Amino acid sequence: MRKPFIAGNWKMYKTTAEAKAFARAFTKLYNSSDVQTAICAPYTQLETLIEAFKGTDIKIGAQNMHFAEEGAFTGEISAKMLKEIGVDYCIIGHSERRQYFGETDETVNLKLRKAFSADIIPILCVGESLEERDGGKAFDVVKNQLASGLKEITKEQASSLVIAYEPVWAIGTGRNATPEQADEMCGFIRDTIEELYDDVVSDQTIIQYGGSVKPANATDIMNMPEIDGALVGGASLIPEDFIEIVNF
Ligand code: PGA
């Protein structure tokens, strides 16, 4: 049985003071439930949130990491550094990183390998652009992102993987995929995981939908059979909105 998994992606929002205020407000609203909740925050807010949510079942994730163990990579953060402070998850291959920071399927693959070896659960983001969807290429694009991103990832590693289907055209645009469109692609992702591994792995894989998930559409999205969770950007910044999504 897959446990629903709702993760916030704060992107480059919130100072330490703002993160503390969020944690205070969110803790008051939050009751631990059958849903796994996580917040993927900027690096400088990770320890603040880990401390603030101590004693709850809320997990903390990063939004990126480097693929090397360590080295002369100015400005980068390693998986080991994240693990040391108690980070459980890391978003890998978000479309904003692919679009603005030169992330490729190759670097995504290297980062996945490193995350697994450091015992960090990766949230692998895949998704097509509007042009690709309109051109009828959405399924091919996602399949390729999965096949190259998961190269040489073992079956054992893949069984703890989280995948977020985030159509680029739905991120931050207020234009979400319909629950049916999202479900269709999440089902296709599950079939692809079965092809790459087997049905045991595909049954276990948590597949989230991300892209303009809001309190108003969360229930419809979460009720779809192939969708196990949501990766929430904008609405995860507001405690009252994020709690409504967590309590879908
Ligand atoms: P959004 O972002 O909910 O603001 O569309 C989702 C994401 O980029 O993970």
Side-chain angles (χ1 to χ4, degrees), residues 9 11 94 96 166 170-173 210-214 231-235:
N9 173 13
K11 308 191 180 186
H94 190 281
E96 285 152 15
E166 296 209 313
I171 295 177
T173 57
S212 299
V213 176
K214 307 286 174 201
L231 185 56
V232 185

Side-chain angles (χ1 to χ4, degrees), residues 79-239:
K80 190 166 73 175
M81 294 169 188
L82 296 174
K83 190 70 199 172
E84 183 192 33
I85 60 166
V87 167
D88 288 297
Y89 293 93
C90 186
I91 297 174
I92 292 183
H94 190 281
S95 62
E96 285 152 15
R97 295 217 57 88
R98 294 179 193 254
Q99 191 178 346
Y100 305 125
F101 302 99
E103 193 86 79
T104 63
D105 287 335
E106 288 67 38
T107 56
V108 166
N109 177 246
L110 293 171
K111 289 179 182 190
L112 283 181
R113 293 187 205 187
K114 181 49 82 180
F116 281 122
S117 75
D119 202 19
I120 298 252
I121 301 174
I123 302 175
L124 165 63
C125 296
V126 296
E128 79 286 358
S129 66
L130 187 58
E131 212 181 11
E132 290 162 341
R133 173 148 291 254
D134 289 345
K137 296 199 192 101
F139 292 90
D140 288 345
V141 166
V142 168
K143 191 172 191 156
N144 282 336
Q145 287 173 337
L146 289 171
S148 16
L150 292 169
K151 225 163 95 193
E152 285 175 48
I153 300 296
T154 66
K155 201 154 95 171
E156 287 64 37
Q157 292 172 326
S159 53
S160 64
L161 175 71
V162 177
I163 297 172
Y165 167 54
E166 296 209 313
V168 178
W169 47 273
I171 295 177
T173 57
R175 176 184 166 183
N176 61 298
T178 64
E180 292 72 24
Q181 277 175 324
D183 194 62
E184 186 185 23
M185 186 61 89
C186 290
F188 175 78
I189 290 172
R190 202 174 302 287
D191 290 345
T192 306
I193 295 296
E194 183 173 342
E195 267 173 43
L196 292 171
Y197 297 99
D198 60 24
D199 59 342
V200 179
V201 177
S202 68
D203 271 353
Q204 282 171 347
T205 306
I206 301 283
I207 304 177
Q208 300 175 315
Y209 165 75
S212 299
V213 176
K214 307 286 174 201
N217 59 23
T219 312
D220 288 346
I221 289 167
M222 290 302 295
N223 280 342
M224 300 308 285
E226 296 295 348
I227 302 178
D228 307 315
L231 185 56
V232 185
S236 72
L237 297 168
I238 303 156

Side-chain angles (χ1 to χ4, degrees), residues 26-45:
F26 193 70
T27 308
K28 284 193 196 134
L29 302 168
Y30 179 81
N31 286 307
S32 65
S33 63
D34 295 338
V35 176
Q36 180 61 60
T37 304
I39 293 173
C40 300
Y43 291 130
T44 51
Q45 270 48 274

